[in-house]
Amino acid sequence: MNSRMYPHAQAGTPNDRARRLTVLAFAIALVAILAIPFLTAEHADAASKKRIVALTAFSANTLANVGARPVAIGQMAIGNKGMSRRLRRVKQLPLSHPNGPNMEQIATIDPDVVLTAQAWRKGSKTMRDLAITVREMDAKTANQVPSRIRSIGRAYGNKRLTDKLVKKVKREIKYAKTRRPIKKRPTVLMVLGVGRTPYVFVSNSWGGSIVKAAGGRLLGGELRDSGGFVKVSDEYVIQKDPDVIIAVPHGNASDIPSISDHLKSNPAWSTTKAVKMGRVYVTLDDAFLQPNIDVGHSIKRVRTQFLKNW
Amino acid sequence: MARKSGVVVGLVVAVCVAVVASLAYGAVSIPFGQVIDALTGASEVSESTSKIVLDLRLPRSCEAIVVGAALGVAGALLQGALNNPLASPDIVGVTGGAGFGAVLILILFPAQVALLPVGALFFGLLAAGLVFAVAWSGANRGSVSKLILAGIAIGAMFGAGTTAILTAYPDRVPSVLFFIAGSLTSDGWGDLKAVWPYFAIGFVLAIGLMRPLDRLSLGDEVAASLGTKPRLIRLIAGVAAALLAASAASLAGLLAFLGLVVPHFVRMAAGTSSHTYVVPVSALAGATLLLAGDTLARVVAAPIELPVGPFMVLIGVPMFLYLLRRAG
């Protein structure tokens, strides 16, 4: 071929060569970028092919946000409140003590993995006998949330989405803790239930960890119990004299005023600063009872509504 | 005679020691001098000390005395009236009914928790009323075996209701654990004020029943020949026991063990089955046992409180087994 006749057919001028190399590099980069999700999703795909049952709100919401869809989730006492929209159409399994889900239902669903919690541990053995992998991966405290999300996401979800979710949760926790510096650290008594034996959230409870993250000094913080709650003496409450009392009772929203009155009239608590200053709060929010991924919002809510240190 | 007096003196000393311990010990360490100052109203006592002694420990100690005495007396009355050593407040359905009432309030109507003592009392008496209604109707009315069988059936019915509620609301079960395991509370004088008339009626009836029960222990025919109406005495004893046991359950939860064991303990220790002795001394023994158990439950893991039921058993059973072995 005569290069003079077809000047453009030549190897080209340095400018042309540079332009071609640029286009080639751009194309390679484009292909590489497009291929990354497929390459990295290999592990995630393998994981997402697993049939997973998430019995807890924490594990269910985590899976929903890291690109994995559980085949069934535990039926939450609070209904769909606080649950990811992606889980709306997922089959819900009623849970009851002490086994958790009905084992016949579990056997019918035939999952590869069940993400459960300590409360349902008695049923774990039966599930293992059914050749199901059973794991407890919920966060126990507010500080554990990012690491537990990462563990669940890496095992069963998409890595990129997992890292994104971890970053988001960390950012929200940091915002809730440091956006406005904590200047007041009131003593907080957080009680579960009502009746004559309210239980106190201790330091290793989920609700207790949120109060501590929000800057509260948890009354009973030196106590530990495997369940996270203990019945403490009213004498101890009087001695510690909490600034704030937060009650998380059972019941309906319409019960809150009467429950609040009942707590305030408790003769053992009537001399506490919390009652005298009118800082007895009643909340039905499940966010203080069980781990969830929007922990940053819970911390901020405790600071703004209860501790007043925002 | 000396043995009987010795038991009474021993129990009086024991109850005094238990009262002092109950007022002196708790989750918060308070020097005994300050406890006395708080009780006598000395001005130099801090507000919190005064509150702890006068509003928490004192009413709780009084509750323990009244509840322990009521259960001891209820057991003695039922064992005497039914001539059955296994009789206890369970047998007239009171425990099952009171448990159902408490669970109903705590789990289904938590906002109405102030009604807990009344609810437990009402359902305890309702269960006993049903038992008496069944036992005193139809053929063979008023017989011991019919009363016991009716009690078992009605108790089972309320027990099933309790289980059904607990199963339906598993997340709320912790709220009722202390009631079921038996536990005194530090709710001040309010609860005691609400139920004291029922205790009073029960104790007055018990005093009036002591001699008729002694006659009843000779057998129905002999008792009838002495002018006693066995079925009527049995009914009144059942009502008195139901009042006492239901009132006790409304304050301290389910502590039926005390009603079963204490009268036997008194009989074996004193070597007599006379109701003029067993009924009042059972009151003393019941009060001592519950007071001691409650003090232990408050201080063993302080500031964590434990239910009193297991501690009462821990104290009572070894003594009971010792006496049982000696009695042969």
Side-chain angles (χ1 to χ4, degrees):
Chain A
M1 188 180 288
N2 189 340
S3 62
R4 287 182 185 176
M5 288 175 66
Y6 304 99
H8 298 291
Q10 286 180 342
T13 62
N15 279 348
D16 287 343
R17 205 172 297 137
R19 198 180 302 135
R20 272 188 212 141
L21 282 174
T22 306
V23 170
L24 188 64
F26 181 76
I28 290 169
L30 191 65
V31 168
I33 289 168
L34 291 173
I36 282 172
F38 294 98
L39 293 171
T40 56
E42 190 180 344
H43 175 253
D45 278 351
S48 64
K49 280 175 190 166
K50 285 186 175 172
R51 294 172 59 77
I52 306 170
V53 171
L55 298 181
T56 65
F58 182 85
S59 58
N61 279 330
T62 301
L63 289 174
N65 283 281
V66 297
R69 183 182 165 86
V71 290
I73 60 173
Q75 196 174 59
M76 306 303 157
I78 49 161
N80 288 327
K81 192 182 164 197
M83 299 301 289
S84 167
R85 285 184 180 178
R86 299 183 186 102
L87 299 168
R88 292 280 157 88
R89 291 174 186 273
V90 175
K91 181 182 175 62
Q92 294 198 1
L93 302 175
L95 302 172
S96 63
H97 285 288
N99 288 327
N102 180 292
M103 292 303 152
E104 291 185 11
Q105 273 190 312
I106 283 285
T108 308
I109 293 168
D110 191 24
D112 301 301
V113 181
V114 172
L115 298 181
T116 186
Q118 187 183 350
W120 321 120
R121 195 172 276 175
K122 193 171 182 299
S124 298
K125 186 187 174 303
T126 314
M127 290 190 275
R128 288 193 182 101
D129 290 345
L130 293 169
I132 299 167
T133 302
V134 183
R135 299 185 72 181
E136 288 177 18
M137 302 182 82
D138 272 18
K140 300 278 194 305
T141 64
N143 290 336
Q144 286 181 351
V145 171
S147 63
R148 294 303 174 101
I149 288 175
R150 184 178 290 116
S151 300
I152 294 174
R154 292 269 169 94
Y156 306 112
N158 178 287
K159 183 181 178 300
R160 185 178 57 85
L161 292 175
T162 300
D163 292 343
K164 189 179 163 191
L165 180 61
V166 169
K167 265 186 195 169
K168 176 176 173 274
V169 170
K170 278 184 174 175
R171 195 171 56 241
E172 286 172 354
I173 293 174
K174 190 179 175 189
Y175 176 84
K177 283 180 167 179
T178 61
R179 175 68 181 81
R180 294 195 181 174
I182 296 171
K183 290 178 181 168
K184 284 191 288 184
R185 292 188 178 275
T187 308
V188 181
L189 171 69
M190 194 176 206
V191 294
L192 171 70
V194 288
R196 304 194 305 177
T197 54
Y199 286 73
V200 171
F201 287 71
V202 293
S203 58
N204 59 321
S205 67
W206 171 254
S209 76
I210 290 186
V211 167
K212 286 201 295 187
R217 286 181 292 147
L218 193 66
L219 194 149
E222 76 278 20
L223 306 172
R224 290 187 76 80
D225 182 83
S226 59
F229 306 97
V230 293
K231 162 95 174 80
V232 299
S233 165
D234 287 324
E235 294 181 14
Y236 176 76
V237 175
I238 290 176
Q239 188 192 39
K240 295 289 180 182
D241 197 9
D243 301 302
V244 178
I245 295 175
I246 304 170
V248 191
H250 308 301
N252 306 312
S254 58
D255 295 337
I256 288 179
S258 53
I259 291 172
S260 180
D261 288 345
H262 171 74
L263 293 172
K264 285 174 189 167
S265 66
N266 181 337
W269 297 355
S270 59
T271 53
T272 58
K273 279 183 274 188
V275 174
K276 284 179 179 172
M277 303 298 287
R279 297 187 68 184
V280 178
Y281 304 102
V282 178
T283 174
L284 298 176
D285 196 340
D286 204 52
F288 302 115
L289 295 177
Q290 59 179 2
N292 216 322
I293 58 174
D294 57 353
V295 59
H297 295 120
S298 300
I299 294 170
K300 190 185 167 202
R301 188 168 162 234
V302 168
R303 289 192 63 187
T304 53
Q305 293 185 10
F306 305 140
L307 306 194
K308 313 282 187 196
N309 62 0
W310 179 257
Chain B
M1 188 64 190
R3 185 175 167 189
K4 287 200 281 186
S5 304
V7 170
V8 172
V9 170
L11 283 172
V12 168
V13 171
V15 82
C16 290
V17 170
V19 167
V20 171
S22 177
L23 292 172
Y25 296 106
V28 175
S29 175
I30 301 174
F32 192 64
Q34 283 193 30
V35 174
I36 299 292
D37 286 345
L39 289 170
T40 54
S43 56
E44 61 268 21
V45 178
S46 71
E47 188 189 10
S48 67
T49 299
S50 175
K51 184 94 186 156
I52 288 170
V53 174
L54 297 178
D55 292 349
L56 301 184
R57 291 185 189 175
L58 187 59
R60 188 163 174 153
S61 301
C62 290
E63 266 189 22
I65 290 170
V66 174
V67 169
L71 287 171
V73 170
L77 291 179
L78 286 171
Q79 286 168 15
L82 304 181
N83 198 21
N84 187 324
L86 295 177
S88 75
D90 286 334
I91 217 80
V92 286
V94 169
T95 310
F100 175 78
V103 167
L104 196 71
I105 297 283
L106 286 171
I107 290 194
L108 294 186
F109 305 102
Q112 310 303 326
V113 66
L115 295 177
L116 175 61
V118 181
L121 182 70
F122 173 78
F123 280 98
L125 293 177
L126 177 68
L130 288 173
V131 170
F132 294 135
V134 173
W136 261 264
S137 61
N140 204 17
R141 55 202 293 252
S143 75
V144 172
S145 57
K146 197 170 179 184
L147 180 67
I148 291 173
L149 289 172
I152 291 171
I154 299 292
M157 197 176 78
F158 278 99
T162 303
T163 309
I165 296 173
L166 292 176
T167 310
Y169 296 89
D171 56 314
R172 302 183 181 188
V173 168
S175 293
V176 297
L177 277 182
F178 270 64
F179 186 89
I180 290 171
S183 176
L184 289 155
T185 58
S186 303
D187 287 353
W189 298 102
D191 292 348
L192 202 52
K193 275 183 188 168
V195 294
W196 77 265
Y198 305 96
F199 279 119
I201 295 170
F203 282 127
V204 169
L205 286 175
I207 291 168
L209 283 165
M210 289 191 293
R211 289 195 185 283
L213 284 176
D214 275 342
R215 288 198 285 273
L216 203 61
S217 65
L218 301 172
D220 281 12
E221 287 178 9
V222 177
S225 71
L226 293 171
T228 300
K229 293 176 179 170
R231 288 182 183 179
L232 181 64
I233 294 303
R234 220 163 263 140
L235 180 64
I236 297 172
V239 170
L243 278 170
L244 290 170
S247 309
S250 72
L251 293 183
L254 310 184
L255 294 168
F257 160 82
L258 213 148
L260 175 68
V261 165
V262 162
H264 286 294
F265 171 83
V266 171
R267 281 189 212 104
M268 286 187 282
T272 177
S273 294
S274 167
H275 290 91
T276 50
Y277 182 87
V278 171
V279 170
V281 178
S282 290
L284 205 54
T288 309
L289 189 56
L290 187 54
L291 205 48
D294 182 55
T295 307
L296 274 180
R298 285 190 290 125
V299 302
V300 161
I304 296 170
E305 278 202 10
L306 302 170
V308 67
F311 284 95
M312 222 173 49
V313 172
L314 205 66
I315 300 168
V317 166
M319 289 162 67
F320 182 72
L321 291 177
Y322 170 72
L323 288 170
L324 197 63
R325 191 164 168 265
R326 263 188 52 191

